[in-house]
Amino acid sequence: MPRGRYSLHDPHDHTPLGEEHFHCAPGPSGWRYVSRLTTPAGEHQGSADLAIDGLGRPIRLELQAGGWQVRAAALDGVTWVRTDPAGTEATEGNVRAHAFTGTSPAFLVALTRLLRLTPDSPGTRVRLVAFTDPVLAPLTVDQSWTLLKSAEHPTDTGPLTVDEYRVDTLDTGERHTVHIAGDVVLAAPGIELEDLDTPPSVFPPAG
């Protein structure tokens, strides 16, 4: 069960946004990721809890930020309930999309499990609902994911396979790369892995 810490920053001007302390693990029916988020000053600012099934579909998502809360899952596309800080109003939403995304590195790992790309796969288009900071506002985005290469790197605990993905945001034309090893994001825009106490978990091969 990897435990570690990501630092988060604005991908454009590199302003520090805080840290995400996480633990995650695959299980017999999928994968779960739990984290707490802190401000640059170390104060609590939110949390994330994501569970996916063996096919990579989000079966449960709970996010908290700025007093706002989202509970969501894959149901008739993706469905969510967003609650205001006072807890007096709840807004439901549903979109014909494949999965969710947001600032947490968990979403990147979960999406790679859903897509199951190989270096021979063409660019794969995916529709996502992003919950944006600072109030978890939902936004539908279209992306194209391509696995550029998988490379094995020697480490003190054995070889580590690192996958390099190219991600194109289709409505803006923005392009970036994401590096993932198992269930840990090594590098992505706005995300840096600072600490990791055990090696990433290795997922079973796609069936």
Side-chain angles (χ1 to χ4, degrees), residues 24-206:
C24 57
S29 60
W31 179 73
R32 187 180 180 193
Y33 176 101
V34 178
S35 69
R36 59 182 179 86
L37 289 81
T38 58
T39 67
E43 300 173 346
H44 177 77
Q45 69 171 349
S47 63
D49 186 342
L50 172 64
I52 61 175
D53 66 12
L55 298 177
R57 297 172 299 192
I59 56 176
R60 187 184 69 255
L61 171 65
E62 294 187 10
L63 298 175
Q64 293 184 347
W68 294 83
Q69 178 175 281
V70 165
R71 293 185 177 181
L75 182 65
D76 295 327
V78 295
T79 299
W80 67 92
V81 176
R82 178 171 172 265
T83 308
D84 70 324
T88 57
E89 295 185 13
T91 303
E92 296 185 8
N94 173 265
V95 171
R96 287 289 180 182
H98 299 90
F100 302 102
T101 191
T103 58
S104 175
F107 294 114
L108 301 177
V109 175
L111 189 54
T112 64
R113 299 305 299 159
L114 180 69
L115 297 178
R116 305 293 177 97
L117 300 177
T118 70
D120 296 326
S121 301
T124 300
R125 181 169 179 158
V126 61
R127 172 159 289 185
L128 307 169
V129 172
F131 294 108
T132 59
D133 293 333
V135 295
L136 302 179
L139 175 67
T140 302
V141 298
D142 290 299
Q143 294 180 341
S144 176
W145 279 65
T146 306
L147 177 56
L148 299 178
K149 63 180 179 179
S150 294
E152 196 172 87
H153 298 270
T155 71
D156 294 339
T157 57
L160 182 68
T161 300
V162 178
D163 296 326
E164 180 181 347
Y165 294 89
R166 185 182 71 222
V167 182
D168 293 277
T169 302
L170 300 181
D171 60 342
T172 64
E174 190 174 8
R175 172 177 290 182
H176 61 269
T177 57
V178 173
H179 293 82
I180 294 177
D183 58 356
V184 173
V185 176
L186 302 181
I191 299 168
E192 290 186 19
L193 180 65
E194 301 289 353
D195 289 313
L196 186 65
D197 65 353
T198 56
S201 301
V202 178
F203 288 108

